[in-house]
Amino acid sequence: MPAPAKFCFVIHPLSLDDVARYEPGAKGKGAPIVRKIMEWMPPWGVAHVTGVRAPDGRETEGWFVSAPLLPEQMMEFPREQVYDRILKAIQIGVDLGAQIAGLGAFTGVVGDAGITINERSPIPVTTGNSLTIAAGIQSLFRGAHEMGIDPSVSTAVVVGATGSIGSACARLIAPRVKHLILVARNETRLRKFTEEIAPELPCDVSYSVEISPAVRQAQLILTATSSTADVIQPEDLQTGAVVCELSLPHDVSRRVAIERPDVLVIEGGNMLMPGDPHLERMRQPGEEFDLNLPPRTALACMSETMVLALEGRCEPFTLGRGIDLAKVVEMEQMADRCGFKLAGMRAFDAAIGEDELDARRAAAAARRSLDSAALRSG
Ligand SMILES: NC(=O)c1ccc[n+]([C@@H]2O[C@H](COP(=O)([O-])OP(=O)(O)OC[C@H]3O[C@@H](n4cnc5c(N)ncnc54)[C@H](OP(=O)(O)O)[C@@H]3O)[C@@H](O)[C@H]2O)c1
């Protein structure tokens, strides 16, 4: 087996709150000023990651490097300017010793989902989407199990179904459900994708560009959009539904946390790292970098980059849209061998423990009996 390599992973703030967490000096400054500063702010090395160790003793180290643009800036700015920013961030990683680079959140969404960046990068690049897909599927069906949903008689919706992550998730969900609804905004692309995959899928498949009516039909929902605004609203969710969200920034409205105690929302792309991982801030040595996740937890896309480094597989493992499902399976097996596990359930910045699950199941049962009482009384 090849010796472990070193990695870098490109991160960026998902919101103005994130900017303040990465850079406390930004706290209290107005949004327009912060946005303006970020327009010219160069990439920088954020954290030195050590102690990621597979059960057989293989160990890797790496660096989180920031391409400091907000999601909407990544989408709105001229593409070449955004690519340039991401490539400069990767170069910082290369200078520190990285041999493979991963693209976090919108750095893997912009343009052709990593293909051009990989062509121009001095080291191989992966988006990390293979492990994100595998984690998302595991999370969705774990949630279904916890909420007592039988997938084989259920309707599932994939929102963002034509995307890199959504299109693979749709293919993997289809064999386990009765009806699958594919949702995105571009109708031509969505229709073509549905016509292409429907004949090979063993369930009923339909598509819609209307999110609310599609979500209203579903017990299982997986969201992986590149939207910068909420797309899942509390009034659209069925009693006891499960929503697995992979999108960063989030797709599910925060109102769901308050208004729908009967549904289960899960951030589906979180993994537990093996070993004794430390994320030390590069500008404040000795201080731990706050990923806004529980200890030892990383995003699945970060985890894929670390797995490739541990395996010495310095190759552009996942790029573009239209991901090969065999790669998703291979990545899941490599991650397992390296000791990465699906993290505990979590949503809206909080862990979901057994008590919380009991409360959600009870709220769903209570709402169902109210619904049927209302039906009986006409
Ligand atoms: N959790 C993790 O570890 C992790 C890892 C990687 C990526 N991500 C996140 O996953 C998300 C998807 O990434 P991706 O690479 O699959 O992106 P992508 O390939 O660009 O796909 C985005 C999909 O969302 C759809 N979409 C965009 N805006 C929408 C809206 N308002 N309503 C409905 N559909 C919409 C797009 O189709 P239309 O344009 O036709 O609507 C497309 O189907 C991003 O938020 C990314 O940051 C998370």
Side-chain angles (χ1 to χ4, degrees), residues 105-106 108-109 113 127-129 132 159-166 183-186 189 211 224-227 231 246-249 269 299-301 321:
F106 272 51
V109 170
T127 57
N129 286 352
T132 303
V159 189
T162 51
S164 171
I165 295 171
V183 177
R185 292 166 309 174
N186 183 316
R189 206 163 39 222
I211 298 181
T225 80
S226 51
S227 171
V231 297
L246 294 172
S247 320
L248 293 169
L299 297 175
C301 48
R321 301 186 168 89

